[in-house]
Amino acid sequence: MGKVKPLGPLAVAALGYLAERPMHPYEMYQLALHRQEDRVVKVSPGSLYRAVYGLEADGLVLASGTDREGARPERTMFEITDLGRHLLGERLRELLSTPTNEYPELGLALSEAHELGAEEVRMLLETRILRQQAELADLDRRMTWALERGIPRVYWINVPYSAAMVRAEIAHLESLLAEIADGALAWHVPGTRAPLHEQAATPPVSAQPTPST
């Protein structure tokens, strides 16, 4: 076994399930849907199988037997190893404590929105807000669904986080639309060159705070 690859989102989720108890990948997929974690990690039965076999190759999980339900074929059960549990803990501590720039596509689109006309941008952002409002309503339904079924809240605290992010985006875009509408935001003429002082400007580099020990 060579150097272990950094744990991606699906690997973190898979190790998290197996840290609770041994299970087979399809059971892990069902658990992801039950806990609504499909909203924070792209997951399918096939991708989970591939993730688990990759973790097995790295020594982070191991096959621990088989399971059969009714007339269905036997499924291989997996359990987490001590190394897998250690690396999962390390990765979770890193993710929880350290902000990272994930380069969201909306940020890129806003930075280049001046290449479109102000009226078109206004219409596009209004459409996005409507879609995000529908997304927010769906997240609210998911929270109600989880509460009604008595799913412990600790397993779906990601859902209110997602709802808070959507609300923040809607509020920001509504404020931006107001600035466009009243002329407070001077709009760049599409297709023109940036002023020379903007071309030469170099923003300061922010230093990341060093955690106290």
Side-chain angles (χ1 to χ4, degrees):
M1 181 183 67
K3 184 178 180 181
V4 176
K5 299 181 292 290
L7 296 178
L10 192 53
V12 169
L15 287 174
Y17 303 143
L18 295 179
E20 297 178 34
R21 60 180 171 84
M23 59 183 85
H24 54 75
Y26 189 74
E27 185 180 7
M28 295 159 65
Y29 171 68
Q30 293 176 311
L31 186 59
L33 298 184
H34 185 67
R35 293 182 179 174
Q36 309 186 56
E37 292 184 3
D38 56 314
R39 304 299 294 240
V40 293
V41 62
K42 190 174 183 180
V43 61
S44 69
S47 64
L48 258 176
Y49 274 97
R50 290 190 293 273
V52 169
Y53 288 129
L55 293 170
E56 182 184 30
D58 286 338
L60 307 189
V61 306
L62 55 83
S64 61
T66 58
D67 177 55
R68 182 191 294 273
E69 294 180 12
R72 294 177 179 174
E74 286 188 343
R75 289 172 170 156
T76 302
M77 303 285 289
F78 291 89
E79 65 182 47
I80 194 169
T81 64
D82 289 341
L83 176 61
R85 195 176 297 274
H86 170 74
L87 292 182
L88 172 63
E90 290 298 298
R91 183 62 173 146
L92 288 175
R93 293 182 185 97
E94 179 184 13
L95 291 172
L96 288 169
S97 66
T98 308
T100 58
N101 190 344
E102 298 174 345
Y103 303 105
E105 293 181 345
L106 176 59
L108 172 62
L110 289 174
S111 71
E112 300 299 334
H114 56 264
E115 294 301 331
L116 302 176
E119 180 61 18
E120 183 179 7
V121 169
R122 181 189 64 79
M123 294 174 61
L124 292 169
L125 292 182
E126 286 177 347
T127 298
R128 184 183 182 96
I129 287 173
L130 289 174
R131 289 171 174 168
Q132 286 293 64
Q133 288 171 337
E135 171 75 359
L136 188 58
D138 184 58
L139 288 167
D140 287 338
R141 285 192 294 270
R142 283 173 173 259
M143 285 187 277
T144 300
W145 180 90
L147 286 169
E148 290 174 347
R149 284 156 182 77
I151 301 174
R153 187 165 171 261
V154 70
Y155 292 127
W156 51 273
I157 55 176
N158 61 291
V159 182
Y161 169 79
S162 295
M165 295 299 99
V166 172
R167 288 192 185 94
E169 180 182 307
I170 291 173
H172 176 76
L173 294 181
E174 288 178 336
S175 175
L176 186 58
L177 284 174
E179 289 189 77
I180 294 174
D182 64 17
L185 178 59
W187 203 255
H188 179 78
V189 178
T192 60
R193 296 182 63 183
L196 289 177
H197 71 276
E198 291 186 10
Q199 294 176 357
T202 301
V205 177
S206 300
Q208 288 291 332
T210 302
S212 58
T213 56

